[in-house]
Amino acid sequence: MENLVEQLQNIAGRMLEQNDSISALKIQDLIEKWRKNQMIVAFCGHFSAGKSSMINSLIGQKVLPSSPIPTSANLVLIEHGKNRAIAFRVDGGTESFELSEAGMKALKEFCADGQTVATIKIFAESEWLPQGIAIMDTPGIDSTDDAHRLVTESTLHLADVVYYVVDYNHVQSELNFQFTRQLLDHGKSVYLIVNQIDKHFDLEMDFSTYRESVEEAFSLWGIALRGIYFTSLMEEDHPENEYEQLRQDLGRQFQQRNEILAVSIRASAKTVIAEHIRIVRDSQERERSKWQQIIDAAEDLLTFSEARERLQAVQTEVEHLQKLPQTAKQEVLQKIDTLLDNAPLTPYPTIEQIEAFLQSRQEKFRIGWLGSKAKTEQERMNRLQALQADVQQRMQAAIEWHLTQLLSHTLQDYHITSEILSNRLQDFHVELNSERLLRLVNPGASLEGAYVHTYARDLSASIKSSYRQLANDWLQEFLTCIQTKAQEQIDRLLGEQQHLTQLIEAYTNLEALDGNMQTYEQMVYEQIGSYELNK
């Protein structure tokens, strides 16, 4: 233990020599944390994700109010002990409060001026929370600036494990990906808690599909989470609720405190060193100006990080464009299917006409007392024509207009300008002839059963099949236009990709030539890598 402390103190001393007091203070924080042998589990999340409620539930009592307690660091630590809260002022003084509604109100009033209070510690007589463990409650994150500030400016570097609580409806927010990525970049072990899963409706998407979409989204961002929990505090018996699993896993982590601390202290120290190296690099920028000019000569003036991000964006865009014809096909076909499946071609009035028409096709159908053949045939023709006109009108109202609008909007959505495709939409029509109506009749069917509705379904399916074929023919020509336009964009992006690759190579060479900086960096990192973590 003393060997570790000595190594960390040496690192802090070198940081002070470089006038980097902020990094040196963080290393001192890690030394104090190691000496206290205290494991810190941080909870982060959006204001409305239920973070405070989650902590209260885990602790087993309400120790946090629903709105945050203002402090200069905006962090609250919860430890095992006699129920009370202590406010540590910036000037070194303290103030104690009871863990009651009145006590919490008094605490928040005391901390109204957040700059006068440095830290809040809440002690709770919780069987779940053992000695040597602290729960860190962090302020809500509602913006990229909030996330960056929490990672870089707060005492979150002391957290050994981070649980990020998100609302069921906002999991795949770009802010969540960016924040978790920052945490991982700072060497944190990150777990995701998807809370409020009671908002899920299986009619929209089954839960296993939702779960897979969450896992896939973080995977696509290259975010390696240590675990994902789906929880609900409102519905404890929810079939997908993993709250108890979360509680038990946290308990097991508490038991592994020494092992986790050993890994976490090393990772946190390396992260602080990385921040320190960046600060030193910035201070030596003048010496590197000769090589910087090469990069500045680039027309787009991208930084190394921006060049890599842009290259990734270009590669992602190329992949997107390569897949675009297929994804466009799937999307348009799905919209066509949805439109046709929901198109009401045979409402009740039409069903009545179908029944009358089918009656006229019965072998024993007669008109008049004497059953005049001419009158009977005329009545059959009248009913056929009436049904034909009714259904044709419904085809135009329920399908043709909507389908034409859908395909027209598709051209706009994909920015396709094609006079041929536009003109084909003007003639987008399916003619319902009498032969189709007669062909679908089953001469031997009885009208006493459900045959009227069977005929209606067959007729509707036949008509919709014709529209699908017509739409598919149009879609094939549309996809040819998509393919041509996408290839033009791919060719342009491949040229940009080559330029970005050259720019990244220049940055890499600049890094390689910065010998003095590399020597110092290696020396500092050797300090953190030379000790053994034995407790």
Side-chain angles (χ1 to χ4, degrees):
M1 176 174 175
E2 291 303 320
N3 188 38
L4 169 60
V5 171
E6 181 181 352
Q7 299 298 335
L8 291 176
Q9 286 176 337
N10 288 338
I11 292 172
R14 293 190 181 278
M15 291 175 172
L16 288 174
E17 291 174 0
Q18 296 292 333
N19 298 316
D20 183 7
S21 59
I22 294 177
S23 297
L25 181 60
K26 288 184 177 181
I27 293 294
Q28 291 293 343
D29 288 341
L30 293 176
I31 293 173
E32 182 64 22
K33 171 183 172 65
W34 181 258
R35 283 174 169 166
K36 290 174 63 178
N37 191 27
Q38 182 181 59
M39 175 181 169
I40 297 178
V41 178
F43 280 77
C44 306
H46 293 269
F47 282 104
S48 59
K51 173 172 57 69
S52 296
S53 298
M54 178 66 67
I55 293 175
N56 287 337
S57 179
L58 291 169
I59 296 295
Q61 63 185 99
K62 186 174 182 180
V63 296
L64 292 173
S66 56
S67 57
I69 302 171
T71 69
S72 59
N74 282 318
L75 296 174
V76 177
L77 290 176
I78 306 166
E79 302 178 16
H80 183 89
K82 183 178 179 181
N83 286 345
R84 68 191 188 285
I86 301 178
F88 294 83
R89 296 196 301 265
V90 176
D91 60 8
T94 62
E95 192 77 19
S96 294
F97 301 86
E98 295 181 353
L99 282 190
S100 62
E101 184 174 347
M104 286 295 98
K105 181 179 179 181
L107 174 61
K108 293 183 69 173
E109 291 175 354
F110 181 78
C111 299
D113 181 2
Q115 298 306 312
T116 63
V117 179
T119 307
I120 299 293
K121 282 191 177 181
I122 296 177
F123 296 89
E125 297 173 353
S126 170
E127 295 181 0
W128 175 79
L129 184 64
Q131 295 283 355
I133 305 295
I135 302 298
M136 178 186 289
D137 181 33
T138 64
I141 301 168
D142 274 351
S143 70
T144 302
D145 289 341
D146 289 340
H148 179 74
R149 187 160 48 248
L150 181 59
V151 173
T152 60
E153 298 178 13
S154 72
T155 56
L156 193 59
H157 66 281
L158 295 177
D160 302 290
V161 182
V162 177
Y163 283 82
Y164 187 47
V165 185
V166 295
D167 176 83
Y168 165 86
N169 286 323
H170 302 96
V171 178
Q172 298 191 35
S173 162
E174 184 174 352
L175 175 60
N176 293 335
F177 299 130
Q178 292 175 344
F179 180 62
T180 50
R181 166 54 57 195
Q182 288 185 69
L183 290 173
L184 291 174
D185 289 344
H186 281 69
K188 298 302 175 187
S189 296
V190 183
Y191 294 80
L192 182 71
I193 299 176
V194 181
N195 196 26
Q196 302 173 2
I197 61 170
D198 43 275
K199 297 178 180 179
H200 177 78
F201 291 100
D202 278 333
L203 293 178
E204 300 175 353
M205 176 192 302
D206 63 75
F207 196 87
S208 61
T209 302
Y210 172 77
R211 181 191 294 268
E212 290 174 2
S213 71
V214 172
E215 294 171 349
E216 182 180 0
F218 281 86
S219 177
L220 289 174
W221 274 73
I223 297 173
L225 297 168
R226 299 296 297 274
I228 303 178
Y229 297 89
F230 296 85
T231 63
S232 171
L233 299 177
M234 298 293 293
E235 293 184 19
E236 295 180 358
D237 58 347
H238 193 287
E240 302 294 341
N241 192 4
E242 296 174 340
Y243 171 79
E244 284 302 324
Q245 184 66 47
L246 166 66
R247 185 181 176 89
Q248 293 172 16
D249 288 351
L250 275 165
R252 280 190 284 269
Q253 287 182 342
F254 297 164
Q255 295 174 3
Q256 298 168 357
R257 175 180 55 174
N258 291 344
E259 293 84 350
I260 291 175
L261 274 174
V263 175
S264 176
I265 291 289
R266 183 189 294 272
S268 296
K270 286 185 176 180
T271 299
V272 175
I273 289 174
E275 294 174 355
H276 167 68
I277 295 299
R278 179 186 58 78
I279 293 171
V280 175
R281 281 185 182 280
D282 291 344
S283 70
Q284 296 178 351
E285 190 63 28
R286 184 177 299 176
E287 299 177 14
R288 304 170 67 242
S289 61
K290 175 182 177 180
W291 308 109
Q292 190 66 45
Q293 288 175 3
I294 298 175
I295 297 172
D296 291 343
E299 294 181 0
D300 39 21
L301 298 177
L302 293 176
T303 65
F304 181 47
S305 176
E306 290 170 341
R308 288 193 302 178
E309 290 177 2
R310 179 55 189 162
L311 179 61
Q312 183 179 2
V314 168
Q315 293 169 338
T316 301
E317 182 64 15
V318 169
E319 293 176 1
H320 166 72
L321 290 170
Q322 290 171 337
K323 298 175 182 177
L324 184 59
Q326 183 61 29
T327 56
K329 179 180 179 179
Q330 293 173 350
E331 179 183 349
V332 177
L333 283 176
Q334 183 179 13
K335 290 180 178 179
I336 292 172
D337 287 343
T338 300
L339 188 152
L340 292 176
D341 290 344
N342 296 324
L345 289 181
T346 55
Y348 181 74
T350 305
I351 291 293
E352 290 184 322
Q353 294 218 35
I354 289 175
E355 184 175 10
F357 163 69
L358 292 176
Q359 286 175 347
S360 73
R361 308 316 300 176
Q362 296 288 304
E363 185 177 351
K364 297 180 179 181
F365 178 74
R366 297 290 186 274
I367 293 295
W369 290 102
L370 299 178
S372 169
K373 182 176 181 180
K375 290 183 179 180
T376 298
E377 290 303 319
Q378 182 61 48
E379 180 62 19
R380 283 176 171 168
M381 179 60 66
N382 291 342
R383 295 188 183 188
L384 172 63
Q385 292 175 347
L387 176 60
Q388 181 180 358
D390 178 87
V391 175
Q392 185 77 64
Q393 181 182 11
R394 297 191 186 282
M395 288 163 58
Q396 294 171 349
I399 295 181
E400 285 186 11
W401 186 88
H402 295 287
L403 192 53
T404 302
Q405 289 296 305
L406 186 155
L407 298 180
S408 178
H409 289 156
T410 298
L411 289 175
Q412 298 174 15
D413 293 342
Y414 286 89
H415 308 288
I416 297 298
T417 303
S418 170
E419 186 175 350
I420 294 177
L421 289 173
S422 297
N423 289 339
R424 286 185 63 179
L425 292 179
Q426 303 301 319
D427 301 324
F428 208 85
H429 178 70
V430 171
E431 186 66 31
L432 178 64
N433 53 46
S434 58
E435 286 77 9
R436 187 194 298 254
L437 294 173
L438 294 170
R439 186 174 63 250
L440 294 173
V441 174
N442 183 354
S446 171
L447 297 185
E448 295 179 358
Y451 179 62
V452 173
H453 291 282
T454 300
Y455 179 87
R457 285 195 299 270
D458 292 344
L459 176 60
S460 179
S462 174
I463 294 170
K464 290 177 180 180
S465 176
S466 296
Y467 278 110
R468 280 192 173 89
Q469 183 60 51
L470 192 62
N472 282 336
D473 293 343
W474 182 93
L475 181 59
Q476 293 307 313
E477 192 167 341
F478 165 77
L479 293 175
T480 300
C481 295
I482 286 283
Q483 179 68 51
T484 301
K485 184 175 182 179
Q487 190 58 52
E488 293 174 353
Q489 293 176 302
I490 289 172
D491 293 341
R492 176 183 59 79
L493 288 170
L494 289 177
E496 183 181 358
Q497 179 176 315
Q498 182 179 5
H499 163 71
L500 289 168
T501 301
Q502 293 171 348
L503 183 59
I504 291 171
E505 184 179 3
Y507 275 109
T508 303
N509 289 336
L510 176 62
E511 183 74 12
L513 291 173
D514 196 356
N516 291 336
M517 186 64 240
Q518 288 182 359
T519 300
Y520 176 75
E521 181 177 351
Q522 181 179 358
M523 180 173 57
V524 176
Y525 274 115
E526 283 178 350
Q527 292 287 334
I528 196 62
S530 63
Y531 61 81
E532 295 181 357
L533 294 171
N534 297 312
K535 295 192 77 70

